[in-house]
Amino acid sequence: MSTSALLALLMVVGLLTFLYRYAMIGFFASRSLPAWLHALCRHIAPASFAALTASALFVSGGDVQFTFDSPRPWAALVAVIVAWRTRNVLATIAAGMAALYLLKLLF
């Protein structure tokens, strides 16, 4: 794909994203969200975080690989256990990063 085609594609996607968001803001500016939509919006942040995390853990070189021969999935498991036991975001991040750096030394 040429540079100019890629730039045009990025501009079109950016414009469509802007129009979509502006339409939603304009439509709901004077109205309140329906209860069902408000309930669904609570799940946007966790779903986005889960998608980003899964891609960081299991995508390597553009290929999806569900292997446990790298330190990332094991460090994520440590972070999940700490999050489950402590319910503390800072402890979860600290334990996950510490596990990642220690496991990198072993792998």
Side-chain angles (χ1 to χ4, degrees):
M1 184 175 247
S2 69
T3 305
S4 60
L6 184 60
L7 183 60
L9 178 64
L10 287 173
M11 290 176 64
V12 167
V13 169
L15 180 65
L16 289 174
T17 302
F18 172 77
L19 290 175
Y20 172 74
R21 290 182 181 191
Y22 184 75
M24 292 298 284
I25 291 169
F27 180 75
F28 288 113
S30 61
R31 299 174 183 90
S32 62
L33 289 175
W36 63 271
L37 184 58
H38 186 68
L40 286 177
C41 287
R42 290 187 7 219
H43 302 290
I44 291 173
S48 300
F49 182 71
L52 289 171
T53 304
S55 68
L57 290 176
F58 297 111
V59 175
S60 176
D63 296 328
V64 177
Q65 300 174 351
F66 288 106
T67 61
F68 291 95
D69 59 351
S70 75
R72 287 182 179 178
W74 295 108
L77 180 63
V78 169
V80 165
I81 292 169
V82 170
W84 173 58
R85 299 293 292 163
T86 66
R87 305 266 186 215
N88 185 324
V89 175
L90 191 57
T92 301
I93 293 170
M97 292 304 293
L100 180 63
Y101 287 120
L102 290 173
L103 288 168
K104 279 187 175 184
L105 294 174
L106 297 174
F107 280 85

